[in-house]
Amino acid sequence: MTTALSFEVRDSGIAGSGAFATQPIAAGERVIEYVGERITHREADRRYDDESMGEHHTFLFTVSTRTVIDATVDGNESRYLNHSCEPNCESEIVDGRVYISALRDIAPGEELCYDYAYERSGDEGQSDETLYQCRCGTRTCRGSIMEAKEDFVKRRAKERRQKAEARRHDARRGERRGVAS
């Protein structure tokens, strides 16, 4: 049994086509599952070379360190939800599946958007900022569909703390083994 969508796809002021609510959507409601072909990161990179594309335009969603969903192949209307720095939806990965849910009540006619927050690597230059430019036009627009630079700094600091804690834990475990010998 197919469930009717609570949105329709039409022209968007943000980028190309967008998804627009056709009925009220309640906060917390699951809007749609992001589906498509499941591929490796290597295959995604082979299919979509950002440097040669000129304009970033893919329907990829990273599920894990091993899996990416390519909604261009066997995808659905979920691929038309655009990015916004002030999103009304969010993505959630549950048991390897990706769901898009409403963050707040959404009125008919509103465009459904979530924050893509592409992970930064730390070596982005101006060409990357241009390639991943945001066009949401919200009052808090950060100018990029990549994660906020502040969020990158926090994430990187957290990763460093976790690695340091793991090293300390391993060292303590090694000391205990040495004492027990």
Side-chain angles (χ1 to χ4, degrees):
M1 180 174 165
T2 305
T3 306
L5 293 174
S6 56
F7 65 88
E8 65 184 4
V9 176
R10 61 179 198 240
D11 289 346
S12 167
I14 296 174
S17 297
F20 293 82
T22 55
Q23 61 193 46
I25 300 172
E29 183 178 328
R30 254 189 202 160
V31 177
I32 195 166
E33 181 177 359
Y34 197 97
V35 298
E37 183 182 12
R38 291 174 171 271
I39 59 176
T40 64
H41 287 271
R42 178 175 285 167
E43 177 61 15
D45 290 343
R46 188 192 68 72
R47 289 182 186 182
Y48 307 101
D49 177 19
D50 280 342
E51 273 72 46
S52 66
M53 288 172 64
E55 180 182 348
H56 174 75
H57 184 77
T58 64
F59 297 113
L60 300 176
F61 197 108
T62 299
V63 179
S64 69
T65 57
R66 299 174 66 165
T67 305
V68 176
I69 295 173
D70 183 353
T72 305
V73 181
D74 299 326
N76 61 12
E77 292 86 349
S78 63
R79 67 182 181 242
Y80 296 108
L81 273 75
N82 283 315
H83 163 84
S84 176
C85 296
E86 289 182 22
N88 54 15
C89 293
E90 66 181 343
S91 61
E92 181 182 23
I93 300 171
V94 179
D95 296 328
R97 296 173 73 177
V98 178
Y99 299 100
I100 309 297
S101 300
L103 282 169
R104 60 169 175 76
D105 291 344
I106 301 171
E110 279 189 73
E111 183 168 4
L112 307 179
C113 300
Y114 64 97
D115 187 345
Y116 291 0
Y118 288 179
E119 270 192 11
R120 291 177 178 273
S121 61
D123 62 353
E124 293 81 15
Q126 188 53 49
S127 62
D128 297 305
E129 297 297 335
T130 301
L131 184 65
Y132 298 110
Q133 181 179 7
C134 179
R135 297 181 187 95
C136 74
T138 62
R139 60 182 170 73
T140 61
C141 180
R142 63 179 175 264
S144 175
I145 63 175
M146 292 186 284
E147 69 184 323
K149 290 178 182 178
E150 307 80 48
D151 292 346
F152 166 72
V153 169
K154 289 176 189 173
R155 181 173 53 81
R156 203 36 81 84
K158 181 180 177 184
E159 289 169 358
R160 285 190 198 110
R161 285 192 306 274
Q162 288 172 333
K163 285 181 182 178
E165 179 57 35
R167 284 192 301 272
R168 285 192 296 274
H169 176 72
D170 289 346
R172 286 192 300 268
R173 203 169 68 210
E175 289 171 4
R176 284 194 292 266
R177 284 188 190 142
V179 171
S181 302

